[in-house]
Amino acid sequence: MRGMGSDNVWGADNQQERLSIGWVVGFVDGEGCFSCPIYRCDVMTLGWQVRPEFAVVQGASSKDVLEDLQRFFGCGRVFRNRRHDNHREDLFRYCVQRYGDLRDVVVPFFQEYPLKTSKRYNFERFVQVVELMSLRRHLSVEGIIEIAEIAQTMNHRKPSELLRILRDHTPALSQSGEDEMVRPLRRRREAGGNDQPRLI
Amino acid sequence: MRGMGSDNVWGADNQQERLSIGWVVGFVDGEGCFSCPIYRCDVMTLGWQVRPEFAVVQGASSKDVLEDLQRFFGCGRVFRNRRHDNHREDLFRYCVQRYGDLRDVVVPFFQEYPLKTSKRYNFERFVQVVELMSLRRHLSVEGIIEIAEIAQTMNHRKPSELLRILRDHTPALSQSGEDEMVRPLRRRREAGGNDQPRLI
């Protein structure tokens, strides 16, 4: 990311379309999405992975502005979106998923140049999750529960599947029916009762 | 509209939230809509009225940015939108419908500060319609047909009802079944065959 101090010249090289900071903030206020989905993931110790993401979706006819955004931020990628919905053209998606890029580029940018719509509240929750991850809280049971509780308040999301599974499988219930993915979570949760995150 | 020459200080008074030009262009690239619907209207000589409109819709939680836009442009109004769709909150709509405001404020602004997404092509057609109206072409049969042909290429619109009615009621067909609203149009169309607009 270049030219942070100016609203005039940003991102791309001379030959490329340049975006102003104001335009990027306005466009993301309209079309951007900050989300923190939590996926089941066998290779993670807890069986769940937090994957915060910043994304902007456009129809194929505006794919070029997504590439401009990619140059502007100097990170992220543009993908063809598998979903077509009712759109008459293919959808494309600029997204930043790499944790270091979110922490070092995307979050500082929107902290310096705040969103103006109610999307800023979503962004604030997104920052909370990114900060918890920088403390490695996503690797502990309490931490990932804290993250899931924040994430389910974002983007009118459905209640977190992780939280639902934890609630459904209370210690009073038989362990035999417990979801395999939740078992490592429960073991760690039951092993200690303090509020401190335990790094795994 | 104030402060046209600067990207820093715009629109609102000191106490109010200020919007930058860049933010407005980016936000309208994301959320704005330029449309030229043509409505049946008994009080118009032709029985049809062209009503170009610039609009931005947001959920209730972002109503304040619509009011900021209203202050920024110094025209237009914010309405509660009757449609709720699947949204969980009321929708609000900032829209500029007054022809003089579109011609003197909205069109010059986006000509000076162009949109970056494919929405700019829509805007170009919108400008064509506004210019045809400044020539009072919307008051002639040929003019309103020309406008309808432009309008139906905008916003993935359904084919124009006005054009459909004109096509369905060719001179070869019985006049008796003709739509009442189209009769004045046909009379004028059949009265002359040249391509010059006739101001009514």
Side-chain angles (χ1 to χ4, degrees):
Chain A
M1 207 162 54
R2 287 167 288 178
M4 197 88 171
S6 162
D7 197 17
N8 299 318
V9 183
W10 253 80
D13 296 334
N14 284 343
Q15 291 80 358
Q16 308 289 350
E17 176 102 2
R18 288 174 175 186
L19 302 181
S20 76
I21 292 174
W23 187 90
V24 170
V25 177
F27 193 59
V28 170
D29 253 320
E31 299 283 281
C33 182
F34 298 90
S35 61
C36 296
I38 302 175
Y39 296 102
R40 290 171 183 242
C41 178
D42 285 353
V43 300
M44 300 294 287
T45 311
L46 293 181
W48 297 84
Q49 186 181 26
V50 185
R51 288 198 221 154
E53 177 184 272
F54 164 54
V56 183
V57 175
Q58 288 289 283
S61 57
S62 293
K63 184 188 172 201
D64 55 345
V65 301
L66 299 183
E67 291 163 344
D68 290 340
L69 281 175
Q70 184 182 21
R71 280 190 289 270
F72 180 87
F73 285 110
C75 60
R77 288 181 63 194
V78 177
F79 300 93
R80 185 187 295 270
N81 202 320
R82 285 178 207 154
R83 290 172 56 209
H84 281 221
D85 297 350
N86 294 322
H87 291 78
R88 297 172 192 215
E89 56 180 355
D90 282 349
L91 293 179
F92 283 81
R93 179 179 177 85
Y94 167 63
C95 73
V96 182
Q97 294 176 315
R98 201 174 150 261
Y99 176 73
D101 292 335
L102 293 169
R103 181 195 57 202
D104 299 337
V105 179
V106 174
V107 164
F109 177 80
F110 289 103
Q111 284 178 323
E112 187 160 357
Y113 303 103
L115 296 164
K116 294 180 186 299
T117 65
S118 62
K119 201 167 281 180
R120 66 181 177 271
Y121 303 119
N122 228 39
F123 172 71
E124 285 166 10
R125 293 176 194 135
F126 183 82
V127 173
Q128 286 174 9
V129 171
V130 170
E131 287 176 349
L132 287 169
M133 289 179 74
S134 78
L135 297 170
R136 300 179 67 77
R137 295 286 289 263
H138 59 299
L139 303 179
S140 74
V141 180
E142 287 78 6
I144 207 167
I145 289 171
E146 190 176 355
I147 289 170
E149 283 169 345
I150 295 169
Q152 76 169 0
T153 66
M154 296 170 67
N155 302 312
H156 306 298
R157 277 182 70 82
K158 290 180 292 187
S160 160
E161 191 194 5
L162 184 149
L163 293 177
R164 181 187 61 74
I165 290 172
L166 280 178
R167 282 181 194 128
D168 287 353
H169 295 79
T170 63
L173 296 176
S174 160
Q175 295 286 316
S176 62
E178 183 164 294
D179 190 294
E180 200 167 308
M181 287 299 153
V182 138
R183 210 167 294 142
L185 271 180
R186 174 170 319 288
R187 277 198 215 106
R188 296 189 176 281
R189 200 181 205 192
E190 289 171 352
N194 67 49
D195 288 326
Q196 286 298 310
R198 278 162 292 118
L199 301 185
I200 297 165
Chain B
M1 207 162 54
R2 287 168 288 179
M4 196 88 168
S6 162
D7 196 18
N8 299 319
V9 183
W10 254 80
D13 296 334
N14 284 344
Q15 291 79 359
Q16 306 289 350
E17 178 100 2
R18 289 174 175 186
L19 302 182
S20 76
I21 291 173
W23 186 91
V24 171
V25 177
F27 193 58
V28 170
D29 254 319
E31 299 285 278
C33 183
F34 298 91
S35 61
C36 295
I38 301 176
Y39 296 103
R40 291 168 182 246
C41 177
D42 285 354
V43 300
M44 299 296 285
T45 310
L46 294 182
W48 296 83
Q49 186 180 27
V50 184
R51 287 197 221 153
E53 179 185 272
F54 164 54
V56 183
V57 175
Q58 288 290 283
S61 57
S62 294
K63 184 186 172 201
D64 54 345
V65 301
L66 300 182
E67 292 163 346
D68 290 339
L69 280 176
Q70 183 182 24
R71 280 189 289 270
F72 180 88
F73 286 110
C75 61
R77 287 182 63 194
V78 176
F79 300 93
R80 185 185 295 267
N81 201 322
R82 286 177 206 154
R83 291 172 54 209
H84 281 222
D85 299 348
N86 294 322
H87 292 76
R88 296 173 193 215
E89 56 180 355
D90 282 351
L91 293 179
F92 283 82
R93 179 180 177 85
Y94 166 65
C95 74
V96 183
Q97 294 177 314
R98 200 174 152 263
Y99 177 74
D101 293 334
L102 293 170
R103 181 195 57 203
D104 300 335
V105 179
V106 174
V107 165
F109 176 81
F110 288 104
Q111 284 178 322
E112 188 163 355
Y113 303 102
L115 297 164
K116 294 181 188 296
T117 65
S118 62
K119 202 167 278 179
R120 65 181 177 270
Y121 303 118
N122 228 41
F123 172 70
E124 285 166 11
R125 294 177 193 136
F126 183 82
V127 173
Q128 286 174 8
V129 171
V130 170
E131 287 175 349
L132 286 169
M133 291 179 75
S134 78
L135 298 170
R136 300 179 67 76
R137 293 286 289 266
H138 59 298
L139 302 178
S140 74
V141 179
E142 286 79 6
I144 207 167
I145 289 172
E146 190 178 352
I147 289 170
E149 283 170 345
I150 295 169
Q152 76 170 358
T153 67
M154 297 170 65
N155 302 314
H156 307 294
R157 276 183 70 81
K158 290 180 294 187
S160 159
E161 190 192 8
L162 183 150
L163 293 178
R164 182 185 61 73
I165 290 172
L166 280 178
R167 282 180 193 129
D168 287 352
H169 295 79
T170 64
L173 296 175
S174 161
Q175 294 288 312
S176 63
E178 184 164 291
D179 189 294
E180 201 168 310
M181 286 299 152
V182 137
R183 210 168 294 143
L185 269 181
R186 173 169 317 289
R187 278 197 214 105
R188 296 187 177 280
R189 199 183 205 191
E190 289 170 352
N194 67 47
D195 289 326
Q196 286 299 308
R198 278 160 293 118
L199 302 184
I200 298 164

